PDB file of all heavy atoms in Angstrom:
ATOM      1  N   GLY A 185      -6.444  -3.629  -2.095  1.00  0.00           N
ATOM      2  CA  GLY A 185      -6.278  -4.851  -1.308  1.00  0.00           C
ATOM      3  C   GLY A 185      -7.173  -4.732  -0.087  1.00  0.00           C
ATOM      4  O   GLY A 185      -8.264  -4.171  -0.169  1.00  0.00           O
ATOM      5  N   ASN A 186      -6.710  -5.253   1.043  1.00  0.00           N
ATOM      6  CA  ASN A 186      -7.429  -5.003   2.284  1.00  0.00           C
ATOM      7  C   ASN A 186      -7.384  -3.517   2.600  1.00  0.00           C
ATOM      8  O   ASN A 186      -8.383  -2.897   2.911  1.00  0.00           O
ATOM      9  CB  ASN A 186      -6.813  -5.817   3.413  1.00  0.00           C
ATOM     10  CG  ASN A 186      -7.823  -6.758   3.993  1.00  0.00           C
ATOM     11  OD1 ASN A 186      -9.005  -6.425   4.095  1.00  0.00           O
ATOM     12  ND2 ASN A 186      -7.370  -7.935   4.362  1.00  0.00           N
ATOM     13  N   GLY A 187      -6.155  -2.957   2.508  1.00  0.00           N
ATOM     14  CA  GLY A 187      -6.010  -1.504   2.450  1.00  0.00           C
ATOM     15  C   GLY A 187      -6.094  -1.111   0.987  1.00  0.00           C
ATOM     16  O   GLY A 187      -5.852  -1.939   0.115  1.00  0.00           O
ATOM     17  N   ASN A 256     -15.519  -7.907   5.322  1.00  0.00           N
ATOM     18  CA  ASN A 256     -14.466  -7.110   4.693  1.00  0.00           C
ATOM     19  C   ASN A 256     -13.921  -7.747   3.418  1.00  0.00           C
ATOM     20  O   ASN A 256     -13.040  -7.191   2.776  1.00  0.00           O
ATOM     21  CB  ASN A 256     -13.325  -6.870   5.678  1.00  0.00           C
ATOM     22  CG  ASN A 256     -12.602  -8.157   6.018  1.00  0.00           C
ATOM     23  OD1 ASN A 256     -13.237  -9.173   6.263  1.00  0.00           O
ATOM     24  ND2 ASN A 256     -11.289  -8.129   6.016  1.00  0.00           N
ATOM     25  N   ASP A 257     -14.442  -8.910   3.049  1.00  0.00           N
ATOM     26  CA  ASP A 257     -13.922  -9.604   1.869  1.00  0.00           C
ATOM     27  C   ASP A 257     -14.772  -9.257   0.653  1.00  0.00           C
ATOM     28  O   ASP A 257     -15.988  -9.496   0.652  1.00  0.00           O
ATOM     29  CB  ASP A 257     -13.941 -11.120   2.108  1.00  0.00           C
ATOM     30  CG  ASP A 257     -13.134 -11.857   1.046  1.00  0.00           C
ATOM     31  OD1 ASP A 257     -13.249 -11.521  -0.153  1.00  0.00           O
ATOM     32  OD2 ASP A 257     -12.391 -12.780   1.423  1.00  0.00           O
ATOM     33  N   MET A 258     -14.143  -8.685  -0.367  1.00  0.00           N
ATOM     34  CA  MET A 258     -14.892  -8.253  -1.553  1.00  0.00           C
ATOM     35  C   MET A 258     -15.645  -9.409  -2.206  1.00  0.00           C
ATOM     36  O   MET A 258     -16.704  -9.208  -2.798  1.00  0.00           O
ATOM     37  CB  MET A 258     -13.934  -7.583  -2.550  1.00  0.00           C
ATOM     38  CG  MET A 258     -14.616  -7.034  -3.773  1.00  0.00           C
ATOM     39  SD  MET A 258     -16.003  -5.902  -3.430  1.00  0.00           S
ATOM     40  CE  MET A 258     -15.155  -4.331  -3.238  1.00  0.00           C
ATOM     41  N   ARG A 259     -15.115 -10.645  -2.084  1.00  0.00           N
ATOM     42  CA  ARG A 259     -15.820 -11.786  -2.678  1.00  0.00           C
ATOM     43  C   ARG A 259     -17.218 -11.944  -2.084  1.00  0.00           C
ATOM     44  O   ARG A 259     -18.192 -12.187  -2.794  1.00  0.00           O
ATOM     45  CB  ARG A 259     -15.021 -13.084  -2.487  1.00  0.00           C
ATOM     46  CG  ARG A 259     -13.828 -13.178  -3.410  1.00  0.00           C
ATOM     47  CD  ARG A 259     -12.869 -14.252  -2.978  1.00  0.00           C
ATOM     48  NE  ARG A 259     -12.134 -13.822  -1.785  1.00  0.00           N
ATOM     49  CZ  ARG A 259     -10.955 -14.317  -1.415  1.00  0.00           C
ATOM     50  NH1 ARG A 259     -10.394 -15.282  -2.126  1.00  0.00           N
ATOM     51  NH2 ARG A 259     -10.336 -13.870  -0.343  1.00  0.00           N
ATOM     52  N   ALA A 304      -3.514  -5.565  -6.686  1.00  0.00           N
ATOM     53  CA  ALA A 304      -3.781  -6.126  -5.344  1.00  0.00           C
ATOM     54  C   ALA A 304      -5.059  -6.980  -5.350  1.00  0.00           C
ATOM     55  O   ALA A 304      -5.753  -7.060  -6.373  1.00  0.00           O
ATOM     56  CB  ALA A 304      -3.831  -5.051  -4.267  1.00  0.00           C
ATOM     57  N   GLY A 305      -5.344  -7.602  -4.199  1.00  0.00           N
ATOM     58  CA  GLY A 305      -6.380  -8.631  -4.094  1.00  0.00           C
ATOM     59  C   GLY A 305      -7.685  -8.325  -4.815  1.00  0.00           C
ATOM     60  O   GLY A 305      -8.162  -9.114  -5.629  1.00  0.00           O
ATOM     61  N   VAL A 306      -8.274  -7.174  -4.540  1.00  0.00           N
ATOM     62  CA  VAL A 306      -9.532  -6.803  -5.185  1.00  0.00           C
ATOM     63  C   VAL A 306      -9.275  -6.351  -6.627  1.00  0.00           C
ATOM     64  O   VAL A 306      -9.965  -6.784  -7.554  1.00  0.00           O
ATOM     65  CB  VAL A 306     -10.242  -5.676  -4.399  1.00  0.00           C
ATOM     66  CG1 VAL A 306     -11.481  -5.203  -5.127  1.00  0.00           C
ATOM     67  CG2 VAL A 306     -10.579  -6.151  -2.985  1.00  0.00           C
ATOM     68  N   ASN A 309      -8.597  -9.256  -9.006  1.00  0.00           N
ATOM     69  CA  ASN A 309      -9.527 -10.396  -9.060  1.00  0.00           C
ATOM     70  C   ASN A 309     -10.999 -10.061  -9.216  1.00  0.00           C
ATOM     71  O   ASN A 309     -11.830 -10.959  -9.219  1.00  0.00           O
ATOM     72  CB  ASN A 309      -9.367 -11.242  -7.788  1.00  0.00           C
ATOM     73  CG  ASN A 309      -7.995 -11.871  -7.684  1.00  0.00           C
ATOM     74  OD1 ASN A 309      -7.606 -12.645  -8.548  1.00  0.00           O
ATOM     75  ND2 ASN A 309      -7.255 -11.518  -6.649  1.00  0.00           N
ATOM     76  N   THR A 310     -11.321  -8.768  -9.292  1.00  0.00           N
ATOM     77  CA  THR A 310     -12.740  -8.429  -9.258  1.00  0.00           C
ATOM     78  C   THR A 310     -13.164  -7.588 -10.457  1.00  0.00           C
ATOM     79  O   THR A 310     -13.178  -6.349 -10.393  1.00  0.00           O
ATOM     80  CB  THR A 310     -13.078  -7.687  -7.940  1.00  0.00           C
ATOM     81  OG1 THR A 310     -12.357  -8.286  -6.869  1.00  0.00           O
ATOM     82  CG2 THR A 310     -14.568  -7.766  -7.646  1.00  0.00           C
TER      83      THR A 310
HETATM   84  P1  ADP B   1      -3.409  -7.003   1.693  1.00  0.00           P
HETATM   85  O1  ADP B   1      -3.869  -5.602   1.505  1.00  0.00           O
HETATM   86  O2  ADP B   1      -3.676  -7.538   3.063  1.00  0.00           O
HETATM   87  O3  ADP B   1      -2.035  -7.298   1.164  1.00  0.00           O
HETATM   88  P2  ADP B   1      -4.543  -8.313  -0.634  1.00  0.00           P
HETATM   89  O4  ADP B   1      -3.959  -7.403  -1.644  1.00  0.00           O
HETATM   90  O5  ADP B   1      -4.180  -9.762  -0.709  1.00  0.00           O
HETATM   91  O6  ADP B   1      -4.400  -7.852   0.851  1.00  0.00           O
HETATM   92  O7  ADP B   1      -6.145  -8.176  -0.754  1.00  0.00           O
HETATM   93  C1  ADP B   1      -6.976  -8.868   0.137  1.00  0.00           C
HETATM   94  C2  ADP B   1      -8.411  -8.679  -0.280  1.00  0.00           C
HETATM   95  O8  ADP B   1      -8.537  -8.957  -1.665  1.00  0.00           O
HETATM   96  C3  ADP B   1      -9.363  -9.651   0.419  1.00  0.00           C
HETATM   97  O9  ADP B   1      -9.875  -9.117   1.590  1.00  0.00           O
HETATM   98  C4  ADP B   1     -10.460  -9.830  -0.604  1.00  0.00           C
HETATM   99  O10 ADP B   1     -11.458  -8.863  -0.373  1.00  0.00           O
HETATM  100  C5  ADP B   1      -9.802  -9.525  -1.917  1.00  0.00           C
HETATM  101  N1  ADP B   1      -9.612 -10.716  -2.741  1.00  0.00           N
HETATM  102  C6  ADP B   1      -8.627 -11.617  -2.682  1.00  0.00           C
HETATM  103  N2  ADP B   1      -8.803 -12.577  -3.604  1.00  0.00           N
HETATM  104  C7  ADP B   1      -9.921 -12.262  -4.263  1.00  0.00           C
HETATM  105  C8  ADP B   1     -10.663 -12.859  -5.326  1.00  0.00           C
HETATM  106  N3  ADP B   1     -10.252 -13.995  -5.908  1.00  0.00           N
HETATM  107  N4  ADP B   1     -11.776 -12.239  -5.729  1.00  0.00           N
HETATM  108  C9  ADP B   1     -12.193 -11.084  -5.162  1.00  0.00           C
HETATM  109  N5  ADP B   1     -11.555 -10.481  -4.153  1.00  0.00           N
HETATM  110  C10 ADP B   1     -10.438 -11.066  -3.709  1.00  0.00           C
END
Side-chain angles (χ1 to χ4, degrees):
N186 240 324
N256 67 316
D257 193 317
M258 183 53 86
R259 285 165 287 203
V306 175
N309 296 300
T310 321

